[in-house]
Amino acid sequence: MQQYRNDYSEGAAPQILEALARTNLEQTVGYGEDAHCARAAELIRAEVGLDDAYVRFIPGGTAANILAISCLTEEYEGPILAADAHPTIHETGAIEGAGRRLLATADPYGLLTPAGADPIWESWRANGSHTTRPGMIYLSDTSELGHVYTAAEFDALCDWADERELAVYVDGARMASAMTAAGADLDIRHIARRATAFTLGGTKNGMLFGEAMVVNPASPRGARMVERLPYLIKRAGSLMAKGRLMGVQYETAFDPATDDGSGEVLYWQLARHANACALELKRQMTGAGFEPFIQTTGNQQFFWVTPDEGQRLACDFGAELQVQPDPAGAGRVVARFVTSWATDLAGITELGEAARALRG
Amino acid sequence: MQQYRNDYSEGAAPQILEALARTNLEQTVGYGEDAHCARAAELIRAEVGLDDAYVRFIPGGTAANILAISCLTEEYEGPILAADAHPTIHETGAIEGAGRRLLATADPYGLLTPAGADPIWESWRANGSHTTRPGMIYLSDTSELGHVYTAAEFDALCDWADERELAVYVDGARMASAMTAAGADLDIRHIARRATAFTLGGTKNGMLFGEAMVVNPASPRGARMVERLPYLIKRAGSLMAKGRLMGVQYETAFDPATDDGSGEVLYWQLARHANACALELKRQMTGAGFEPFIQTTGNQQFFWVTPDEGQRLACDFGAELQVQPDPAGAGRVVARFVTSWATDLAGITELGEAARALRG
Amino acid sequence: MQQYRNDYSEGAAPQILEALARTNLEQTVGYGEDAHCARAAELIRAEVGLDDAYVRFIPGGTAANILAISCLTEEYEGPILAADAHPTIHETGAIEGAGRRLLATADPYGLLTPAGADPIWESWRANGSHTTRPGMIYLSDTSELGHVYTAAEFDALCDWADERELAVYVDGARMASAMTAAGADLDIRHIARRATAFTLGGTKNGMLFGEAMVVNPASPRGARMVERLPYLIKRAGSLMAKGRLMGVQYETAFDPATDDGSGEVLYWQLARHANACALELKRQMTGAGFEPFIQTTGNQQFFWVTPDEGQRLACDFGAELQVQPDPAGAGRVVARFVTSWATDLAGITELGEAARALRG
Amino acid sequence: MQQYRNDYSEGAAPQILEALARTNLEQTVGYGEDAHCARAAELIRAEVGLDDAYVRFIPGGTAANILAISCLTEEYEGPILAADAHPTIHETGAIEGAGRRLLATADPYGLLTPAGADPIWESWRANGSHTTRPGMIYLSDTSELGHVYTAAEFDALCDWADERELAVYVDGARMASAMTAAGADLDIRHIARRATAFTLGGTKNGMLFGEAMVVNPASPRGARMVERLPYLIKRAGSLMAKGRLMGVQYETAFDPATDDGSGEVLYWQLARHANACALELKRQMTGAGFEPFIQTTGNQQFFWVTPDEGQRLACDFGAELQVQPDPAGAGRVVARFVTSWATDLAGITELGEAARALRG
């Protein structure tokens, strides 16, 4: 049966795989200094509306986070981020391994807010060099628990950071889903205009692997990141010999020729499909009587389930179970379902039937 | 014209690319916990003759070195290695970034020897906790300058290390070339028997990317490495979400069905081709009057050239120039040529003609 | 006027300073390998009842924490500790600088509990190598907010840690105060019996500087710490050339000849005086109508004050103000007063008068 | 018998110890923010002729090196230094522990030269972000093997560094000896004018402990160091609670009232005595027929001795033996003798007699 464990269960979108095959025997220089990477960067700059953006390709999401945070902070600084952001739980101390302290707010759902960040800032103001200095904010869009940031939420964070001369980094492992989510009013050009750096995730959006790191060199810490990133990529063991593999993939995903008439290139089309599947999945699950844990139009959907239901949904459909405090006091857990470019929309009915059977 | 810049100029061997395409839409679990990785590990265990070997796949060579050295040493220990080994020059302080001090011998050509290692050991014995403790030896086969270790050389190093209870790590970025080099008497089962850990490089031997890290858990520090590696891979940002990509590639390269009657699986065949091309290249170059820098049967060949010749060979054929002390005192430099699975054997005559023209 | 800012406002207790002067011109070997350090270690072993304890002297408290945590964990492990423990707020990311992630519980008042630690353990159990592995528990006695652990509380923590094979480390920057606090039922021999390692703080108990690190080599991770500590002290830049300075100070503080008839050596006498001053200070403050923030018999006392009162007490008496959620919803802050071996007991009446005037 | 093992065998010069006793019961704020540290900094600024120098006190020499190098480099940069400089051999990987790679030249005797540094610079120019970028030069005066830099040597290094925009750091653990060595033409004002930062060592010049770090904020990386140092001191565990102890010691050593009519303050007088003792020691040893290993007027003296002589001199006089290649091919070793402020000039005759007896 179709699994909803995550958005990296399959290989690559066919167009992308085909491009890799087509260019396979070209001889290129290594380390991302080839023409494919150059053209991919050029296409990304055009797409995000930032002519002088510095673009590098990083093999994975944790590596991208290590590099962004290392580039945007001093050793004695740290990123302000939500308590359940990815680096706080799922990266085995990778950021601490780079010597940085994470400054986690009490914000729930991985959703960073200025109000959550304030106490951290004030603590530094009170303690100065006896404590870690905030150097940046980190947010992921969509957030760890699926939230799609609104333009107002994002601007409030950027305003807050700007006033304090902090860098803004957006972990875009699921950026494509966030930008194409139903009702979303925050677009990639807006992010590019205000963030110091952000990623355009490939791994979770139809590529074999790869995250495009986009840096705005005109932002205060942006120029420093542009200087630091090439060295730190190599030092972190994240410089691919065959960097061109990522160049070819991004070149394809952002190729204007992939526009299917929708006005969008392949990169967004893949995410739009994932989101459509997610909404259908939500329709099936709520139709069966399952209550959403949060309301989101992104490609992760979360529902309150009993532990027994959870076991069944995990076993049959790859749902991932999480412990969250149940407001109903009923001992329920949260089941996560993730859709992707590869999800078969029609096949979701199977899940719907099973869900209705569980609640039948 | 055919370039000899390195062995990672192309994508992947056709059989490997085909396997990736064939398995592309399978849904698997992430992080290398899938069936392809499991089977690849099983095939490698059989090939190297180590039933209980622990096998993990790492995306790149520098990452593999970081992980091996981090796993096999304490923070206050370091690896003994040759002065021009890869981590000393070409990794931007990656090992130091993991907090380890490299203990470089005065051995030339990246070729580690017990005699070179002795003074480092004695310095530690004299200084104790006031200096870095040797924890392992690091060698690469072939070495950074193309040397293919003999069984006697390798055993001497292992004996030396065993007496001191040091781990032995073999960086096998070009292991396939070393094992199939003409006249080589050191085979992979021998290495597996004596080393604590080694890699079977994929990036430079026909895969898109990937290094198989093989650990002998029965060696003293091997069990510790088996415990540490899963955590450190993640912490280093080197755990691929779609780990199965490496599983599929290695599964193909070590598939017994790829035996073409030679008794060897694809992994060795690819290297054997590269080595054959290298010998042809050597024949052409020496025939044109160029003196080899070192005698080797591996896939890297080095020749003394004048600076002018070097510029031409770099420009037309991708030769990489290195400054080495010229014993002839003639101000010559060293030009490196690298062949690979993708090299066109017949096409090497073009280089031969150009070489003869230069010396004509 | 007498200040209560902290317990490191003065130099050293007269007996200790005198010992430094008396031994000043002796020629000794460096790095703590002298006879004074040896004798100090011997006296400490006898005092704590651990014949085979390994004892080293560290110049400061943050350095001691860095070393204990580095010694007792792997790079991918971290210490479980209370949310407001010293390393989480007041050490500028020192532990992260050593590459370790702090695993902070939601326990208030810096007081670690098994119930607080449980969710961290369970999170690791659920996520395995994708998250930081707990390697030890860290507690300080007295705690950051003055709590004196009971024997039952301590044993419950040790039991919890033992079941999970975690090391137990007690930061004893204020151990002397904790051990001699009125009503305390946890003694140093009890701690020595159950902890993997602990410090006997000197800086805050009448020495110029110095923390004695005591390791129980028979505990599971204890032997590893004994091997690692000498190297890591040096690597951390914490090995004093004139290590004998700490030896002389501890030799004096634990000299049986300093027993004044109370049955206790100087080390405990100094703390007992500080605690007596603290109780007198508490008597004066509560007599003036100030409500304690927590009930403690240690040498730190905390009271709810209005912001205006706080400013006055900070200015005139060195009280340190902290923001804590006011249960009365009255916008009060917490004022901390610290007494020491050097506090003039009679002089506390001045504070009492000022306190009564504020509330008059 | 008087030992010559090192210059940190005793406690502190009497005047300094007396000052600690005199100020012992003053109540001051912690962490070096007290009036003694402020006045000591003021006196140092005046002495070195740098009105806007930023001065901080660090407990030890290895900690000072960690901090200077961490402050003056990026993570992917390293210091160029001589092959046998202190951090390369005697600091257990402390600099690597801070993530930095040491870029050691082939210069002998710990004496850095532009010619030695050139190949490292060129290697970086050739390899760019694939290798560690030089960020600074590190030299110690006197050098590890006793060399006293001339003004011309120092200026040549500074010129070389300036052309490349590298910081210049002088490890002054034995700066006082270097500045007062017979025939020395490099003075502290000259160093202050050209270096980015340097230390004025206390530990080896009559203090209990302490190194004054002096930073020229007007130098390019100086301002960055001023911003970074306060945080990194704390993060490194090197911020002393009773920072005033170093303030009191330096305030005394640089107190104009200590001028004994020589025009010099105590700090220089102590070193001048040590140097005078060293020259007397050299006179005795050469008179007995021992050949100096290097010619120096600093407080370390080195002589070629037979292994048997070495054992005797080590045993009776604390000489430290080093293995150095013997140009005479006679298997000799090098014996080091160190004098200090505490050396009894008259007592050196004992060594002379013993030396003559050995050669008799």
Side-chain angles (χ1 to χ4, degrees), chain C residues 45 49-55 72 162 165-168 191-198 214-227:
Chain C
R45 278 190 281 267
L50 206 59
D51 285 355
D52 59 348
Y54 180 71
V55 179
L72 293 174
D162 284 353
E165 300 187 351
L166 303 180
V168 174
I191 287 178
R193 216 162 35 236
R194 300 217 55 181
T196 312
F198 63 95
V214 184
V215 187
N216 183 344
S219 56
R221 294 186 182 217
R224 182 169 177 263
M225 182 163 179
V226 170
E227 182 186 355

Side-chain angles (χ1 to χ4, degrees), chain D:
Chain D
M1 257 181 297
Q2 184 163 258
Q3 300 292 300
Y4 302 92
R5 186 182 313 276
N6 56 47
D7 30 17
Y8 43 86
S9 295
E10 292 87 3
Q15 302 95 318
I16 286 170
L17 197 61
E18 195 277 325
L20 287 170
R22 190 175 63 239
T23 59
N24 187 53
L25 292 180
E26 290 179 15
Q27 278 198 315
T28 68
V29 294
Y31 304 117
E33 296 169 9
D34 61 280
H36 294 290
C37 286
R39 179 150 184 264
E42 200 51 49
L43 292 173
I44 287 172
R45 278 191 282 267
E47 188 74 22
V48 307
L50 206 59
D51 285 356
D52 58 349
Y54 180 72
V55 179
R56 290 296 297 256
F57 301 99
I58 316 287
T62 296
N65 285 343
I66 293 171
L67 289 167
I69 293 170
S70 297
C71 284
L72 293 174
T73 58
E74 305 283 348
E75 288 105 317
Y76 52 89
E77 293 181 331
I80 298 178
L81 79 182
D84 52 8
H86 201 262
T88 61
I89 305 193
H90 297 299
E91 300 187 352
T92 316
I95 307 303
E96 291 84 0
R100 265 64 172 188
R101 177 166 170 73
L102 297 172
L103 303 171
T105 69
D107 290 310
Y109 310 137
L111 170 58
L112 187 68
T113 66
D118 270 332
I120 291 170
W121 182 258
E122 293 308 320
S123 173
W124 168 67
R125 295 239 306 164
N127 289 289
S129 63
H130 289 251
T131 198
T132 302
R133 186 167 81 181
M136 63 184 286
I137 62 171
Y138 162 105
L139 61 151
S140 69
D141 196 12
T142 67
S143 85
E144 194 64 19
L145 287 175
H147 182 75
V148 179
Y149 279 85
T150 65
E153 287 168 344
F154 179 67
D155 279 336
L157 282 168
C158 291
D159 291 345
W160 188 91
D162 284 354
E163 284 162 23
R164 289 156 183 81
E165 299 187 350
L166 303 180
V168 173
Y169 168 61
V170 187
D171 173 349
R174 293 195 174 96
M175 185 73 91
S177 174
M179 295 298 101
T180 57
D185 68 345
L186 178 59
D187 65 37
I188 196 66
R189 291 176 169 247
H190 190 147
I191 287 178
R193 222 168 24 240
R194 299 218 56 180
T196 313
F198 62 96
T199 55
L200 292 165
T203 306
K204 293 174 177 169
N205 193 39
M207 302 190 198
L208 291 179
F209 60 89
E211 312 288 300
M213 179 72 73
V214 184
V215 187
N216 183 345
S219 57
R221 293 186 182 219
R224 182 169 178 263
M225 182 164 179
V226 171
E227 182 184 355
R228 289 167 65 81
L229 189 53
Y231 286 91
L232 289 178
I233 289 178
K234 181 68 185 172
R235 183 176 179 264
S238 293
L239 185 64
M240 289 201 83
K242 299 181 184 175
R244 58 77 162 288
L245 297 175
M246 293 185 284
V248 168
Q249 292 184 86
Y250 275 89
E251 183 184 35
T252 305
F254 284 92
D255 187 345
T258 59
D259 181 346
D260 57 358
S262 67
E264 284 184 337
V265 294
L266 178 63
Y267 186 74
W268 308 118
Q269 295 167 29
L270 294 170
R272 208 169 277 283
H273 173 79
N275 288 345
C277 290
L279 289 185
E280 170 61 16
L281 188 152
K282 182 182 186 181
R283 201 178 64 83
Q284 297 276 354
M285 288 295 288
T286 54
F290 286 90
E291 180 193 351
F293 169 61
I294 78 157
Q295 293 295 345
T296 173
T297 53
N299 75 321
Q300 296 181 92
Q301 295 292 330
F302 303 81
F303 302 93
W304 287 109
V305 299
T306 67
D308 281 353
E309 290 166 348
Q311 287 307 319
R312 174 58 57 93
L313 293 165
C315 187
D316 292 351
F317 297 96
E320 189 185 278
L321 305 184
Q322 300 183 5
V323 176
Q324 297 281 354
D326 181 357
R332 295 176 302 175
V333 296
V334 170
R336 182 184 78 150
F337 297 83
V338 189
T339 58
S340 81
W341 62 275
T343 304
D344 174 22
L345 183 61
I348 300 172
T349 52
E350 277 189 342
L351 170 61
E353 283 161 28
R356 285 189 296 276
L358 279 172
R359 284 290 163 98

Side-chain angles (χ1 to χ4, degrees), chain B residues 282-312:
Chain B
K282 182 181 185 182
R283 201 177 65 82
Q284 297 276 353
M285 288 295 289
T286 53
F290 287 91
E291 178 194 350
F293 169 62
I294 77 158
Q295 293 294 347
T296 174
T297 54
N299 76 321
Q300 297 181 92
Q301 295 291 330
F302 303 81
F303 303 94
W304 287 108
V305 299
T306 67
D308 280 353
E309 290 166 348
Q311 287 307 318
R312 175 59 57 92

Side-chain angles (χ1 to χ4, degrees), chain B residues 225-291:
Chain B
M225 183 163 178
V226 171
E227 182 185 355
R228 289 167 65 81
L229 189 53
Y231 286 92
L232 289 178
I233 289 178
K234 181 67 185 173
R235 182 175 179 265
S238 293
L239 185 64
M240 289 201 85
K242 298 181 184 175
R244 56 86 161 280
L245 297 175
M246 293 184 285
V248 168
Q249 293 184 86
Y250 276 89
E251 182 184 35
T252 305
F254 285 91
D255 186 346
T258 60
D259 182 347
D260 56 359
S262 66
E264 285 183 335
V265 294
L266 177 62
Y267 186 74
W268 309 118
Q269 295 168 28
L270 294 170
R272 209 170 277 282
H273 172 80
N275 289 344
C277 291
L279 290 185
E280 170 62 15
L281 188 151
K282 182 181 185 182
R283 201 177 65 82
Q284 297 276 353
M285 288 295 289
T286 53
F290 287 91
E291 178 194 350

